Amino acid sequence: MTASRDRPPRNDPITLGGVTVAPGSRRHVELPVARLPTDTSLSLPIAVLNGRNPGPTVWLNAALHGDELNGVEIIRELLQLLRPRDLSGAVIAVPIVNVFGFVNESRYLPDRRDLNRSFPGSPRGSLTGQLAYLFMTHVVERCQYGVDFHTGSDHRTNLAQLRVDLSDPEVERLAKAFAAPVTVDAAFRDGSLRSACRAIGIPLIVFEGGEAHRFNAGAIRSGVEGTLRVFAELGMISGPEVPPMGETVIVRHSHWERARRSGIVRIDVFPGQAVERGEVLGIIGDALGTRHSAVRASRTGIVLGYTRNPLVSQGDALVHIADLSETARGGPARPPT
């Protein structure tokens, strides 16, 4: 009897989508979403890792925008590293939320709506609203924490960074543990997953890195290592921790340098680069190379991202810069590798 009382407590089974996952095991779940006009069924592929020992339940998701692929690879690599028998708590991993956009290599769903502007969704709304509702009720609401992976959009590439609400102590704790090169104290957007999680009191951190339609090795590594540090902070994994390259830079304000004329742009800076006010960021010229004008930094800061499309119109966003004059700094900026 004494040995039984001294045995450490075990985690509870998890049931999701009709599949029960025992403590210390991993199961694959297909959560039905909708049917295509061909009557082919589409579902959310979900991996449930139920740790042997009690602890928090954390969800990981990527591809809310179907063309953003770095997060898919981050989650795939994490699933290779995590072992349910050594895990305290549980991980619910959803590498592809927008399955429609993923198949079509599109940011949006077939109804042309943005999933990350449609939360918390509705069981009787548009296709996008129904998918948002399904994800909220079956995944988000059964977890205590979440990590949402994104990339740059619209031909833009981003420095690996977090977008979070630092007024929430739990979010701040996770962001510090993740230790991305830059942490942006970002405003909420109506309909975003982050806004919906705030409304129900679930801490969520949003990772951005790289660009749509392709993998970026530096962003993927930053996402994998940062998430493992979050798991360690929550007491879900043990063992030697991968140290960050340095402390994160806390950013309160940022701005876009925009094109003052139309033409062909060549960007001469990289994400993570520190720039001074007045420094040349790139050149806009014409096709014959006879006319050109410099794109200059209007403030001192760090390059958070830039456009990858050389063809620009007047007013287009070119280079995204964190404003260091308004920044509470936690360490030096670091270029991606």
Side-chain angles (χ1 to χ4, degrees), residues 27-325:
R27 294 288 300 274
H28 177 207
V29 177
E30 293 284 343
L31 197 61
V33 177
R35 290 185 177 273
L36 298 175
T38 60
D39 205 34
T40 302
S41 178
L42 282 186
S43 59
L44 291 185
I46 301 175
V48 180
L49 285 66
N50 193 11
R52 175 182 290 180
N53 303 314
T57 300
V58 178
W59 90 85
L60 309 174
N61 75 264
L64 286 181
H65 299 126
D67 58 356
E68 298 183 2
L69 306 182
N70 278 320
V72 179
E73 181 61 16
I74 290 169
I75 293 177
R76 291 202 309 170
E77 293 190 15
L78 287 167
L79 291 175
Q80 297 286 325
L81 296 171
L82 297 173
R83 298 288 181 267
R85 294 176 65 85
D86 302 324
L87 186 67
S88 296
V91 174
I92 300 177
V94 191
I96 305 167
V97 182
N98 182 357
V99 287
F100 301 92
F102 184 82
V103 170
N104 292 318
E105 300 184 50
S106 169
R107 180 179 178 85
Y108 305 106
L109 276 85
D111 58 11
R112 296 298 301 167
R113 286 179 168 87
D114 186 330
L115 181 57
N116 206 30
R117 299 293 180 268
S118 302
F119 286 98
S122 166
R124 298 179 183 84
S126 66
L127 175 61
T128 304
Q130 290 183 40
L131 177 56
Y133 179 82
L134 179 78
F135 184 67
M136 286 292 296
T137 54
H138 284 78
V139 177
V140 172
E141 291 177 1
R142 66 186 307 151
C143 298
Q144 285 79 57
Y145 302 94
V147 185
D148 178 18
F149 297 101
H150 288 264
T151 75
S153 62
D154 299 323
H155 304 289
R156 297 169 185 164
T157 188
N158 281 339
L159 173 68
Q161 61 193 265
L162 291 183
R163 294 180 175 271
V164 295
D165 172 21
L166 292 177
S167 68
D168 184 321
E170 277 296 277
V171 170
E172 183 180 25
R173 177 166 77 105
L174 299 187
K176 287 182 176 179
F178 195 107
V182 166
T183 297
V184 181
D185 191 7
F188 289 94
R189 293 192 176 185
D190 291 343
S192 67
L193 176 60
R194 195 161 67 93
S195 180
C197 289
R198 180 197 190 194
I200 58 177
I202 298 179
L204 171 68
I205 58 176
V206 176
F207 175 83
E208 290 259 1
E211 60 186 301
H213 292 292
R214 53 187 50 84
F215 288 162
N216 175 271
I220 291 168
R221 184 172 67 253
S222 180
V224 170
E225 293 176 357
T227 305
L228 290 175
R229 288 191 290 269
V230 167
F231 288 153
E233 173 68 20
L234 294 173
M236 299 176 67
I237 60 175
S238 58
E241 182 178 314
V242 179
M245 294 176 61
E247 290 184 272
T248 189
V249 177
I250 307 299
V251 173
R252 307 289 181 184
H253 301 280
S254 65
H255 69 281
W256 281 94
E257 301 294 356
R258 296 184 177 272
R260 294 187 177 182
R261 53 164 291 188
S262 301
I264 302 171
V265 68
R266 184 192 72 227
I267 302 296
D268 295 326
V269 292
F270 53 82
Q273 180 175 333
V275 295
E276 298 292 331
R277 180 178 180 179
E279 184 173 340
V280 175
L281 308 175
I283 300 293
I284 300 177
D286 60 15
L288 300 176
T290 57
R291 300 174 56 218
H292 67 271
S293 61
V295 180
R296 296 182 183 273
S298 60
R299 303 173 194 174
T300 295
I302 302 169
V303 177
L304 294 178
Y306 63 89
T307 183
R308 298 274 287 176
N309 188 352
L311 306 184
V312 297
S313 298
Q314 182 175 321
D316 281 356
L318 300 181
V319 183
H320 192 198
I321 298 180
D323 186 355
L324 288 189
S325 65

